[in-house]
Amino acid sequence: MLNIGAIIGAGIFVLLGVAAAAAGPAVILSVIIGGFVAGFTAFSFVKLSSHVAESGSQYIFVKKMISPFAGFITGWVWFFENMIAGGVLSLGLANYVVTLFPNIPLLFVAAFAPILLMIVNVMGIKESSLLNAFLVVLKISVLLLLVILAFIPTSRLHPEFYQPFMPNGWEGVLSGAALIFFAYIGFGRAATAAEEIKNPEKNVPLSIIYALAMSIILYLLTSIVTVGLIGYKKLADSSSPLADTIKYGLNFTWLEILVSIAAIAATASVLLATIIGVSRMMFAMSRDNVLSNSLSKLHPKFGTPYLTIIVAGVVMATLPFLGTLRQIASVTNFGALFIYSMINASAIVLLRKKKSKETIIPISGLGVCLALMLFLDWYAWIIGIIWIIAGVLYYFIKRRNSVDNFNRQKP
Ligand code: ALA
């Protein structure tokens, strides 16, 4: 539930439109390519999480397999990616709230949502997991309903909407894949809470495989159906593409409302899982003393790392004011693909140590992650690289200071 909660969200409910604008009807291929890249990385996650069962996942994996410095940079980019993803999710959520209630200001909702979920989260993971489970069931059911109703009583898909299939060629398809990749981010989320999961060596890998397989299938069906119902141009023009698919393609008002509710639930559940993930990762890193120690303080009543949760919520609430959906999503995906490259590199180290023939899989994973990054918008690269440089500086300054302190304390 935690993994699916973290996967199905703004990607399919909102960014499908942005990706369709880039790829045309071939957004269907973009969805497959994105799933393929995620699948390779999921293999590496599975190998690593059955080897290391400690909360903090990406950061811990890279730290143990490559070096503490590489681990730190991975964790550093991970915050960045997840906080910015929080901005995409808040904006996506707000788009659907505005579909239902056109009088409420979009940015108000986008800022309010992370703050509300931050409060739920400070109150403890138990309450959050229950809410998450409910939201997960709702979003899956609605996506399935949309797919089923497109065929019942007879198919309502328009074959002409699939032609021309690739109006912007392969470059469009790959840019679409680089954008829709957002829809797959989060499949490793259970690994960030490994210490809170029973029998993590077995259950974390299983959860990654099930959650990713389910989302690939659901996304594929949804993209085929939405393109066939309203055509890619309408999808591209929409900031709430699934609600518009129903409005123009199926014309069931009740389902349009239900999809909007599910989209709000989906983006909220991913946002919730993102805040949980960010706070647990910050906790793991500050416990290791690579981030300020005060961040790992637990709340006296709820026992949650409340300071890290509050930082995450406040940053996410500010982002929707700073960029468009496509811009924030591209920057998020830069971070995600960077981290997944590091994960694949860590799996290469692990499998080489074991002299396993499977090493070729993470090698291919690393290749496809880097290749997909080339199709991201240029500003995503600039912002991402600036963040990485800031991380490198922070790491060495903090290390120098602690060496100085250590020398001063020596008699
Ligand atoms: N995969 C997540 C989403 O689509 C981040 O919302």
Side-chain angles (χ1 to χ4, degrees):
M1 286 291 185
L2 189 61
N3 260 357
I4 299 180
I7 299 177
I8 303 176
I12 195 68
F13 280 94
V14 186
L15 288 172
L16 185 62
V18 180
V27 69
I28 300 167
L29 287 183
S30 308
V31 164
I32 298 175
I33 294 170
F36 196 67
V37 175
F40 271 115
T41 311
F43 174 87
S44 297
F45 257 98
V46 166
K47 288 288 160 196
L48 291 162
S49 57
S50 52
H51 187 76
V52 186
E54 196 180 322
S55 277
S57 75
Q58 288 88 332
Y59 157 64
I60 300 282
F61 292 160
V62 179
K63 181 180 110 175
K64 294 217 158 147
M65 291 302 141
I66 303 183
S67 73
F69 171 64
F72 169 79
I73 292 297
T74 305
W76 178 260
V77 175
W78 199 90
F79 290 137
F80 168 77
E81 176 234 319
N82 278 271
M83 300 247 198
I84 297 183
V88 177
L89 289 155
S90 311
L91 260 179
L93 183 147
N95 280 333
Y96 277 91
V97 170
V98 170
T99 308
L100 286 180
F101 306 101
N103 294 330
I104 306 182
L106 182 87
L107 286 177
F108 169 76
V109 184
F112 181 69
I115 300 291
L116 185 72
L117 292 171
M118 174 188 96
I119 296 170
V120 174
N121 211 324
V122 167
M123 289 167 64
I125 190 158
K126 267 226 167 65
E127 286 91 300
S128 312
S129 306
L130 208 66
L131 176 60
N132 182 50
F134 167 75
L135 297 176
V136 165
V137 172
L138 179 67
K139 64 189 177 185
I140 293 180
S141 322
V142 166
L143 285 181
L144 284 176
L145 201 61
L146 168 65
V147 172
I148 292 168
L149 287 178
F151 294 100
I152 288 177
T154 53
S155 167
R156 292 183 169 90
L157 306 187
H158 300 264
E160 68 275 16
F161 284 158
Y162 297 101
Q163 296 296 339
F165 192 57
M166 281 195 224
N168 302 324
W170 277 104
E171 194 171 341
V173 175
L174 291 166
S175 303
L179 282 163
I180 201 66
F181 189 72
F182 187 91
Y184 294 105
I185 295 173
F187 59 80
R189 189 56 48 83
T192 55
E195 286 168 26
E196 290 159 273
I197 291 169
K198 278 185 210 142
N199 201 355
E201 292 84 354
K202 183 168 150 260
N203 287 330
V204 170
L206 274 184
S207 118
I208 291 174
I209 294 167
Y210 289 156
L212 188 60
M214 249 168 98
S215 21
I216 293 179
I217 294 170
L218 267 176
Y219 291 170
L220 188 57
L221 293 174
T222 309
S223 59
I224 293 174
V225 163
T226 46
V227 171
L229 282 173
I230 62 169
Y232 88 91
K233 288 196 176 125
K234 267 212 173 73
L235 279 181
D237 286 339
S238 172
S239 49
S240 48
L242 298 196
D244 282 344
T245 299
I246 293 161
K247 188 167 175 182
Y248 301 113
L250 292 174
N251 203 8
F252 296 132
T253 313
W254 63 271
L255 187 60
E256 196 188 325
I257 296 175
L258 192 64
V259 159
S260 300
I261 294 173
I264 295 168
T267 42
S269 75
V270 177
L271 198 50
L272 183 63
T274 305
I275 299 176
I276 295 180
V278 169
S279 63
R280 298 303 183 272
M281 175 78 88
M282 256 193 220
F283 181 76
M285 286 178 79
S286 89
R287 195 170 55 177
D288 265 12
N289 206 14
V290 285
L291 280 183
S292 166
N293 279 350
S294 52
L295 287 172
S296 58
K297 237 174 42 203
L298 294 180
H299 191 280
K301 180 157 167 239
F302 302 116
T304 45
Y306 68 105
L307 280 176
T308 61
I309 298 174
I310 292 174
V311 173
V314 170
V315 173
M316 286 174 190
T318 333
L319 281 164
F321 296 90
L322 303 180
T324 64
L325 204 58
R326 178 175 175 139
Q327 289 167 338
I328 317 183
S330 298
V331 178
T332 310
N333 291 358
F334 176 90
L337 287 164
F338 175 86
I339 294 161
Y340 291 164
S341 302
M342 297 300 275
I343 290 292
N344 283 310
S346 306
I348 296 173
V349 174
L350 174 70
L351 294 176
R352 279 184 65 142
K353 259 191 213 149
K354 294 186 171 172
K355 299 205 170 30
S356 162
K357 285 206 187 81
E358 291 173 332
T359 316
I360 186 67
I361 303 177
I363 292 178
S364 317
L366 179 60
V368 287
C369 282
L370 294 175
L372 201 56
M373 281 172 97
L374 297 177
F375 290 90
L376 286 167
D377 294 331
W378 61 271
Y379 47 79
W381 276 84
I382 307 248
I383 298 174
I385 289 173
I386 290 177
W387 180 258
I388 293 171
I389 294 174
V392 174
L393 292 177
Y394 176 87
Y395 184 84
F396 286 107
I397 291 172
K398 188 154 179 14
R399 208 174 67 163
R400 211 185 53 199
N401 286 350
S402 38
V403 171
D404 284 352
N405 284 345
F406 180 74
N407 285 341
R408 244 179 265 129
Q409 279 161 10
K410 275 203 284 197

